[in-house]
């Protein structure tokens, strides 16, 4: 079983989706098997990749309303390391249905988790809330990767998210932990960005990742070309930063796996005594 990482932050426009799509491709390019799940009814991972609004395409909504199994809904892509499960472009009536079904916090546990064990990384893009789909995702996730835009408004909602993660960790999903916090749309040489970084390191010294994603107009423009910036312009500043962030994630989880292997090895050698 690989690692299930939720990209969550109860604040809109902080680059959850941009980070989920670019990190997915970067990890896949490094030959990690990646599944990207869009848990946001806004369905913007599909927009980021220019996926057509085609009933033939498997969707998370199809899985959650029992019309498709997760196995048949997951879409392969031309990148052999990258699969995707978009949300679905839902109608008003479907959104009402979703409000009803998402009260069941075990939905993902029952309908999604049993089918995603074959990947190295499962990245799940969450909506900008803590209830509904996000609550469901946090029940099955191993960790939360938290993008924070370099602004005080963005930082001020972090304690609410951290508190939620701690409560879920204590009361239902003991695997859940913070993968890391990273800055997005970071502008070097501005007072606001400097203050944001200082504040974050003061509040969360152990959770900060070293990579910050710079504000980069090419990243914004890429969405009009229907592909993430890392595909459209691999040498753009944001693409280079997302590759660094992917390396940081791999490194972090590799050392975690090595610790696990080491403790297995220790156990075996103890058995031999
Ligand atoms: N590094 C960047 N440089 C410039 N623009 C960026 C960068 N990252 C993201 N953006 C832009 O910021 C906007 C918000 O990004 P995105 O949609 O990824 O945020 P989000 O957190 O997923 O939002 P929501 O909560 O609404 O789902 C988008 O227009 C995106 O193109
Ligand atoms: Mg989003």
């Amino acid at each position: 079983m690989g690692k299930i990482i939720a990209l969550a932050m109860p604040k809109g426009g902080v680059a959850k989706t941009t980070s989920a799509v670019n990190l997915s491709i970067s990890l896949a390019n490094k030959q990690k098997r990646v599944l990207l799940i869009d848990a946001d009814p806004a369905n913007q991972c599909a927009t980021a990749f220019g996926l057509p609004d085609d009933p033939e395409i498997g969707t998370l909504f199809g899985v959650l309303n029992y019309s498709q199994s997760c196995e048949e809904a997951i879409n392969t892509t031309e990148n052999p390391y990258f699969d995707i499960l978009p949300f679905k472009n839902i109608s008003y009536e479907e959104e009402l249905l979703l409000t009803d079904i998402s009260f069941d916090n075990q939905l993902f546990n029952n309908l999604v988790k049993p089918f995603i064990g074959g990947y190295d990384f499962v990245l799940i893009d969450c909506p900008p809330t803590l209830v509904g789909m996000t609550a469901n995702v946090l029940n099955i996730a191993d960790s939360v990767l938290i993008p924070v835009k370099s602004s005080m408004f963005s930082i001020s909602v972090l304690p609410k998210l951290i508190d939620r993660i701690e409560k879920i960790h204590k009361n239902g999903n003991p695997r859940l932990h913070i993968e890391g916090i990273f800055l997005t749309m970071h502008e070097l040489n501005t007072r606001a960005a400097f203050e944001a970084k200082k504040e974050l390191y003061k509040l969360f010294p152990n959770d900060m990742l070293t990579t910050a994603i710079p504000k980069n107009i090419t990243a914004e423009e890429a969405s009009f070309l229907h592909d993430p910036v890392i595909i459209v312009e691999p040498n753009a500043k944001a693409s280079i930063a997302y590759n660094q962030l992917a390396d940081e994630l791999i490194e972090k989880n590799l050392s975690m796996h090595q610790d696990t292997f080491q403790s297995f090895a220790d156990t075996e050698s103890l058995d031999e005594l």
Side-chain angles (χ1 to χ4, degrees), residues 16-17 40 44 125-126:
K16 292 180 289 297
T17 304
D40 185 351
Q44 295 203 319
D125 184 25
C126 294

Side-chain angles (χ1 to χ4, degrees), residues 121-178:
F121 290 97
V122 177
L123 299 188
I124 310 185
D125 184 25
C126 294
T129 59
L130 287 176
V131 293
M133 286 293 105
T134 308
N136 249 293
V137 171
L138 296 185
N139 271 343
I140 65 155
D142 297 314
S143 67
V144 188
L145 183 58
I146 307 173
V148 180
K149 194 173 164 178
S150 296
S151 79
M152 203 52 216
F153 288 164
S154 191
I155 295 172
S156 65
V157 298
L158 258 175
K160 191 171 153 191
L161 172 62
I162 308 281
D163 180 60
R164 195 71 218 131
I165 294 170
E166 279 169 7
K167 290 208 168 92
I168 295 174
H169 171 83
K170 278 191 196 134
N171 300 318
N173 178 5
R175 295 170 67 90
L176 191 67
H177 63 275
I178 297 172

Side-chain angles (χ1 to χ4, degrees), residues 13-29:
V14 296
K16 292 180 289 297
T17 304
T18 306
S19 301
V21 298
N22 282 289
L23 271 178
S24 292
I25 296 300
S26 180
L27 289 165
N29 287 345

